[in-house]
Amino acid sequence: DTAVSQTPKYLVTQMGNDKSIKCEQNLGHDTMYWYKQDSKKFLKIMFSYNNKELIINETVPNRFSPKSPDKAHLNLHINSLELGDSAVYFCASSQDPTSVKTQYFGPGTRLLVL
Amino acid sequence: AQSVTQLGSHVSVSEGALVLLRCNYSSSVPPYLFWYVQYPNQGLQLLLKYTSAATLVKGINGFEAEFKKSETSFHLTTPSAHMSDAAEYFCAVRNYGGSQGNLIFGKGTKLSVKP
């Protein structure tokens, strides 16, 4: 019954490694987002896809690459992880990007880079 | 550019007391405003949203917020705090830029409730 799910929930890894976070929504939404929450709890948009097309690409290092194989999935791949990448990453979805329908958030993936 | 400012990074109240969490917005167009709550180690849950209908918006868990254009505010209140209300609260405005639609968040206010 989970609307927006993310895997894994926790991720501990070494600097320099490559890792992926997966997100799936079963709400039939067209738009999905990745937000980053830093250690001070500040939330900021990273990427957004609408119907599998990238519509938001904020100033994020090229090491971060989103991939949307279909409307229900938006994965985040991170190359050459750095200490500063440690954060909580939230996936979200909404019906479409232009309405004010609610954005539903996943439980978050807590990434710790050692 | 749109933004929201939450005054007070930490608010502490006694159980049963009134809760007031402040949010002011900046927007060149009529804003769409949201309050989300984040319980410890969990995701974000929508409390309520303002979408230019009624200015007084009622949400879940006994919370409500009033949109005041003259004060550019959207403060969140509940008349009686419960221990279970202890969490981080985020005010957000929807990005009006083109087809983007992402949320722009304030820095959050941590609510503590004392017994």
Side-chain angles (χ1 to χ4, degrees):
Chain A
D1 283 310
T2 304
V4 183
S5 59
Q6 295 180 228
T7 53
K9 193 169 182 180
Y10 298 95
L11 186 53
V12 181
T13 188
Q14 299 287 331
M15 264 192 341
N17 284 349
D18 303 338
K19 291 293 178 185
S20 291
I21 307 172
K22 295 186 177 182
C23 177
E24 177 181 2
Q25 54 94 3
N26 62 5
L27 298 166
H29 288 167
D30 287 344
T31 309
M32 297 183 72
Y33 307 84
W34 276 111
Y35 290 87
K36 179 181 180 181
Q37 186 176 44
D38 64 22
S39 58
K40 295 184 178 178
K41 301 278 189 179
F42 184 54
L43 278 151
K44 191 174 180 184
I45 185 70
M46 298 175 69
F47 301 103
S48 176
Y49 272 72
N50 185 52
N51 278 322
K52 302 192 296 175
E53 289 190 17
L54 182 67
I55 57 171
I56 298 176
N57 186 355
E58 288 295 299
T59 308
V60 175
N62 291 337
R63 300 180 294 103
F64 290 78
S65 53
K67 284 188 172 56
S68 182
D70 55 58
K71 286 197 312 182
H73 296 84
L74 180 61
N75 304 322
L76 184 64
H77 188 75
I78 315 171
N79 289 324
S80 303
L81 278 155
E82 300 178 357
L83 294 177
D85 297 333
S86 296
V88 183
Y89 293 84
F90 287 101
C91 179
S93 75
S94 66
Q95 189 166 324
D96 61 68
T98 58
S99 74
V100 285
K101 299 293 186 184
T102 300
Q103 279 192 25
Y104 293 88
F105 283 78
T109 295
R110 284 146 186 83
L111 172 64
L112 178 60
V113 182
L114 303 174
Chain B
Q2 294 169 287
S3 65
V4 290
T5 302
Q6 292 183 243
L7 298 174
S9 59
H10 190 192
V11 171
S12 182
V13 301
S14 297
E15 193 173 16
L18 171 73
V19 175
L20 171 62
L21 304 181
R22 299 177 186 274
C23 174
N24 288 88
Y25 69 89
S26 173
S27 178
S28 56
V29 297
Y32 296 132
L33 296 160
F34 304 79
W35 275 101
Y36 279 83
V37 60
Q38 184 180 25
Y39 298 104
N41 296 317
Q42 293 189 27
L44 283 84
Q45 180 181 8
L46 180 71
L47 277 175
L48 49 79
K49 63 182 179 183
Y50 168 75
T51 57
S52 73
T55 55
L56 182 62
V57 183
K58 294 188 185 296
I60 62 171
N61 302 343
F63 283 90
E64 64 181 36
E66 186 171 8
F67 174 74
K68 292 187 176 180
K69 185 178 179 181
S70 60
E71 299 177 8
T72 61
S73 69
F74 190 56
H75 302 330
L76 181 71
T77 63
T78 188
S80 177
H82 299 99
M83 298 296 291
S84 58
D85 294 329
E88 192 91 23
Y89 291 80
F90 293 93
C91 182
V93 61
R94 191 181 80 86
N95 186 3
Y96 194 77
S99 60
Q100 296 183 332
N102 60 289
L103 295 174
I104 299 168
F105 286 91
K107 292 187 182 292
T109 298
K110 183 176 181 179
L111 175 65
S112 298
V113 182
K114 299 174 290 187

